[in-house]
Amino acid sequence: MDVFFVISGFLITSLIIGDLEQRRFSLLGFWERRARRILPALITVAGFTLVVGWFLLLPSDFARLGQSLLAQSVFGSNVFFWRQSGYFGPLADELPLLHTWSLAVEEQFYLLFPLSMVVISRFAFRFRSQLVLALGVASLAISIWAVQQTPGAAFYLLPSRAWELAVGAWLALQKDNLRASDTIRQVVSFLGVGLIAFSVVAFDPATPFPGIAAIWPVLGTGAVIWANGTKLTFVGRLLATRPLVFVGLISYSLYLWHWPLFVFARYVNSTAFLSFGWNLGVVSLSFTLAYLS
């Protein structure tokens, strides 16, 4: 999700500043495009989850599913899950819509950030990058503090996640000013992938997160984006191969489908750890449903 937040911040800011520069930006138009992007697949998965949950879940678990869906309908599932349990807490394997916390963070970002960019562009255009950078630094400080004092809030809530989105936003605002030689871009691109890979291998559920630990995947993602901004590096060409582009095209739907399928599979098997056959089957079904939706 840290990788995704950086990419999202970069993409959304690029779209906003492009429309602002052409004097065609509309808040309602922006929100309408985001709704068309997010809601159809989300509603489909939510409906599927409710139907399957009716037959599989115990009444208390089904009631919790309904509560989480209501929270998501008002962009607040991250707050709901923060108040219910930790992401890696004992109930995590029984919450089919737990992963929608990240969508709530995104939706809150979509509501607040475009408004901020419109105001900043009108009254402080020359300082857009500095203000976004200051917002990111403040959010990172909150994240580092909160991960020690209130780790659940640090994980789920926008104030401690906003800096990850701000890194992408800052790169979008600075993309015409950050230039380097091909050699430097190649090196930075490899370093970026290395930082992401290090995070995948080195972190586990016991790692305090996000806080300082999240700096490495966030910087890695930002490095890859920057290094490939003007011309694709070797890493960029690898990411542009057809199989990886295909995964990227279905990634949102894949993200939506995978978690409830794994929750239901573990629920049926009454275990937190599935066999290789079950895992392979759930992954295959996730890809199939993601492609279809």
Side-chain angles (χ1 to χ4, degrees):
M1 288 316 306
D2 308 279
V3 172
F4 171 75
F5 283 149
V6 179
I7 295 172
S8 181
F10 178 81
L11 172 62
I12 295 304
T13 306
S14 298
L15 294 174
I16 292 173
I17 61 177
D19 285 349
L20 284 172
E21 289 171 356
Q22 297 182 33
R23 299 183 181 277
R24 65 182 188 186
F25 179 75
S26 163
L27 282 172
L28 290 179
F30 172 83
W31 289 330
E32 185 264 342
R33 291 195 302 271
R34 292 299 92 203
R36 283 194 287 113
R37 174 73 178 94
I38 291 173
L39 293 182
L42 177 60
I43 292 171
T44 301
V45 173
F48 165 87
T49 304
L50 283 175
V51 172
V52 175
W54 173 265
F55 292 100
L56 288 186
L57 300 180
L58 293 171
S60 59
D61 294 330
F62 188 70
R64 190 179 296 111
L65 170 62
Q67 292 166 357
S68 67
L69 185 57
L70 285 174
Q72 178 57 30
S73 70
V74 293
F75 312 146
S77 65
N78 59 332
V79 177
F80 173 80
F81 289 120
W82 163 52
R83 295 173 64 89
Q84 289 288 307
S85 68
Y87 194 85
F88 298 104
L91 294 177
D93 292 341
E94 300 174 6
L95 299 172
L97 295 180
L98 177 64
H99 61 327
T100 61
W101 72 268
S102 62
L103 289 181
V105 170
E106 278 284 302
E107 290 156 348
Q108 292 158 16
F109 172 73
Y110 293 156
L111 286 174
L112 298 174
F113 188 72
L115 286 169
S116 302
M117 287 301 298
V118 168
V119 173
I120 292 172
S121 296
R122 179 170 298 179
F123 298 106
F125 179 85
R126 294 176 55 190
F127 303 102
R128 290 189 304 179
S129 296
Q130 294 90 327
L131 290 171
V132 168
L133 182 61
L135 169 67
V137 171
S139 173
L140 176 58
I142 292 172
S143 181
I144 293 172
W145 172 84
V147 81
Q148 299 297 328
Q149 303 299 322
T150 174
F155 189 93
Y156 283 110
L157 302 186
L158 179 62
S160 51
R161 290 287 187 170
W163 68 276
E164 303 180 21
L165 294 150
V167 168
W170 184 82
L171 285 170
L173 291 167
Q174 288 291 315
K175 61 184 177 183
D176 294 329
N177 301 323
L178 302 175
R179 301 185 181 277
S181 67
D182 287 349
T183 301
I184 291 177
R185 291 190 303 104
Q186 293 283 1
V187 171
V188 170
S189 189
F190 275 111
L191 286 175
V193 170
L195 287 173
I196 296 171
F198 165 78
S199 305
V200 171
V201 174
F203 297 169
D204 59 37
T207 303
F209 209 84
I212 292 175
I215 291 175
W216 310 123
V218 168
L219 284 182
T221 307
V224 173
I225 292 174
W226 171 78
N228 291 276
T230 56
K231 181 181 178 182
L232 290 183
T233 63
F234 175 82
V235 169
R237 290 193 296 272
L238 177 63
L239 294 174
T241 55
R242 295 185 71 175
L244 292 182
V245 169
F246 169 76
V247 174
L249 289 173
I250 67 169
S251 61
Y252 171 58
S253 293
L254 185 60
Y255 181 69
L256 288 179
W257 280 110
H258 87 284
W259 186 258
L261 291 177
F262 271 106
V263 168
F264 289 143
R266 287 190 289 260
Y267 210 90
V268 168
N269 284 273
S270 300
T271 178
F273 301 99
L274 298 174
S275 67
F276 174 79
W278 270 96
N279 276 315
L280 181 62
V282 172
V283 169
S284 300
L285 182 59
S286 298
F287 269 89
T288 301
L289 293 174
Y291 174 75
L292 293 175
S293 60

